Amino acid sequence: MAQTLYSRLLLIALCSLSECSQRRYHHINVKKTWTEAQRYCRENYKDLATVNNMNDLNQLMKSVHNSLTDYIWIGLNRSRVYKWKWSLGDPVKYTNWSNGDSNGPGHCVYIRDGSWRHQSCNMNMRFICYNEISKGFIINGSSVSWRAAQIFCRQHHTDLTSVRNQIENQQIQKIMNDKNISEVWIGLFNDSWEWSDKSDSTFRDWSSGEPNNYGGIEDCTAVIVTEQGQFNDYSGTSFQTFVCHEDNLILIQMNLSWSEALRYCRENHVDLVSVDSEEIQFMVTKVIHRSSTDAVWMGLRHSCAVGLWFWVNGEMVCYQNWAPGNETAVDDCDHEVKSGAVQSGGDHRWISLPESRKLNFICIRYDE
Ligand SMILES: *[C@@H]1O[C@H](CO)[C@@H](O)[C@H](O)[C@H]1NC(C)=O
Ligand SMILES: *[C@@H]1O[C@H](CO)[C@@H](O)[C@H](O)[C@H]1NC(C)=O
Ligand SMILES: *[C@@H]1O[C@H](CO)[C@@H](O)[C@H](O)[C@H]1NC(C)=O
Ligand SMILES: *[C@@H]1O[C@H](CO)[C@@H](O)[C@H](O)[C@H]1NC(C)=O
Ligand SMILES: *[C@@H]1O[C@H](CO)[C@@H](O)[C@H](O)[C@H]1NC(C)=O
């Protein structure tokens, strides 16, 4: 019993370690305007830096050495299009606005009586965090601004909560009723910032009082070296150093068997991709749309000897995205070894295929 518990804890520990960054960041210690920096990054790397979460921001700040400037450009800039976004980055599919009213001033959203209203983000209100590990909603009874609530949730849980469907809306309402709390901030906000690479990351880490569009000319974003990379909006015509990023995954449009694909990746890049987290699955969906085969190989292999699937990077298969029936579709171990591919269309589920099948594949380009 104790042993089972121990191995389960170990499994959880191993399974949560793989939060690696999707990108490699490069700090360019040369001063340029935002637009010149963008051009430089697009010519020499992928683009001006995109940041998806706190982990990315930490990686980005680690790439910075002896910066000539206190502000460093990243890819976030102001557009004309305002949209509702979840702090956690989920697509906004479900809404439950009070009186259908989703427009107008008040860029942060709270729930009252199960329906959603928007309000100035500076209002102090109780709030509700989401915890990815416990999958729980956690109400906090102190009244703070939306941004302070977001900072607290990111430090102690995962983020301010998303409300993805009616069931979650009802769950949250029930928790509020049980605690006799009538209003709480949720993670929905309205802004017009977008990333240079058009990524849909909703991650922002504004410094206190920012963005303030000082002088009406602050259309670009820099991270502040002295504030652990918190964001400031700033005029794009000023000269700052900057951070570019490179994608870690590359789709190879050749049709090879699984073993040939593995050899190709190891000889020309680092390895076939091990999709050992939701984050990496997400990166895969970003490169897969250009593939010419219905599925593409990933670094997933079945071992008949131990009757287990494993990743070529040695990780266990914790995160999973199997198409129904495929995880166990390994019965003909006598014939040919099964390997794992990800479907190019639909929900990009994983399927089990004989390893001689000729498919496109995805390599990783660098190690952490
Ligand atoms: C978002 O904010 C802008 C600017 O205040 C406002 O014009 C717009 O109606 C708001 N809502 C949406 C959905 O754009
Ligand atoms: C609620 O949030 C405040 C800060 O916003 C924090 O100081 C306090 O510890 C939190 N309470 C709980 C129970 O987590
Ligand atoms: C719930 O809160 C309201 C207003 O804050 C208060 O008047 C009421 O007594 C509270 N009810 C309970 C059961 O605590
Ligand atoms: C790979 O296979 C697909 C599907 O059979 C085909 O459309 C594509 O042209 C092939 N690509 C190459 C480089 O042979
Ligand atoms: C694997 O998934 C695909 C797509 O859903 C399905 O067509 C196929 O039948 C599955 N294979 C098995 C053995 O269940």
Side-chain angles (χ1 to χ4, degrees), residues 82-84 102-105 107 190:
Y82 281 86
K83 274 190 200 140
W84 289 111
S102 66
N103 282 307
H107 289 178
N190 171 8

Side-chain angles (χ1 to χ4, degrees), residues 236-306:
T237 55
S238 72
F239 288 79
Q240 310 294 343
T241 70
F242 53 99
V243 178
C244 306
H245 76 242
E246 227 175 3
D247 283 346
N248 192 0
L249 296 190
I250 180 166
L251 174 80
I252 310 291
Q253 291 168 309
M254 299 194 314
N255 297 336
L256 300 184
S257 73
W258 188 86
S259 309
E260 289 163 350
L262 181 71
R263 186 175 331 116
Y264 180 92
C265 288
R266 290 188 170 170
E267 280 172 5
N268 297 280
H269 297 284
V270 173
D271 210 343
L272 256 181
V273 64
S274 291
V275 189
D276 54 12
S277 70
E278 199 168 353
E279 242 188 318
I280 300 183
Q281 170 76 17
F282 182 74
M283 294 163 59
V284 163
T285 67
K286 293 284 159 188
V287 296
I288 210 169
H289 60 271
R290 284 179 291 107
S291 77
S292 62
T293 48
D294 291 346
V296 305
W297 288 127
M298 44 183 187
L300 186 58
R301 182 87 161 159
H302 186 259
S303 160
C304 285
V306 285

Side-chain angles (χ1 to χ4, degrees), residues 27 45 77 79 85 92 127 150 178 262 283 311 344 353:
H27 176 228
Y45 298 93
N77 66 326
S79 78
K85 299 163 191 176
V92 180
F127 57 97
Q150 183 190 45
D178 290 350
L262 181 71
M283 294 163 59
W311 294 113
S344 308
L353 291 174

Side-chain angles (χ1 to χ4, degrees), residues 126-137:
R126 291 154 169 169
F127 57 97
I128 184 157
C129 307
Y130 176 70
N131 190 305
E132 178 64 43
I133 294 169
S134 66
K135 308 278 177 216
F137 302 109

Side-chain angles (χ1 to χ4, degrees), residues 185-341:
W185 285 131
I186 56 174
L188 200 63
F189 67 102
N190 171 8
D191 84 3
S192 66
W193 292 91
E194 69 178 28
W195 295 96
S196 174
D197 69 350
K198 303 290 176 223
S199 134
D200 46 16
S201 163
T202 61
F203 184 82
R204 287 104 179 84
D205 192 31
W206 298 112
S207 176
S208 168
E210 307 296 347
N212 61 1
N213 200 12
Y214 187 76
I217 52 165
E218 297 193 322
D219 284 345
C220 296
T221 305
V223 295
I224 309 170
V225 176
T226 52
E227 293 185 20
Q228 293 85 47
Q230 286 200 70
F231 297 6
N232 187 15
D233 57 337
Y234 212 62
S235 161
T237 55
S238 72
F239 288 79
Q240 310 294 343
T241 70
F242 53 99
V243 178
C244 306
H245 76 242
E246 227 175 3
D247 283 346
N248 192 0
L249 296 190
I250 180 166
L251 174 80
I252 310 291
Q253 291 168 309
M254 299 194 314
N255 297 336
L256 300 184
S257 73
W258 188 86
S259 309
E260 289 163 350
L262 181 71
R263 186 175 331 116
Y264 180 92
C265 288
R266 290 188 170 170
E267 280 172 5
N268 297 280
H269 297 284
V270 173
D271 210 343
L272 256 181
V273 64
S274 291
V275 189
D276 54 12
S277 70
E278 199 168 353
E279 242 188 318
I280 300 183
Q281 170 76 17
F282 182 74
M283 294 163 59
V284 163
T285 67
K286 293 284 159 188
V287 296
I288 210 169
H289 60 271
R290 284 179 291 107
S291 77
S292 62
T293 48
D294 291 346
V296 305
W297 288 127
M298 44 183 187
L300 186 58
R301 182 87 161 159
H302 186 259
S303 160
C304 285
V306 285
L308 270 183
W309 288 94
F310 63 93
W311 294 113
V312 291
N313 71 357
E315 291 287 336
M316 304 197 224
V317 180
C318 298
Y319 168 74
Q320 303 191 20
N321 195 36
W322 289 105
N326 277 262
E327 182 183 3
T328 48
V330 290
D331 43 10
D332 57 349
C333 271
D334 303 342
H335 295 95
E336 200 176 359
V337 181
K338 289 289 169 70
S339 294

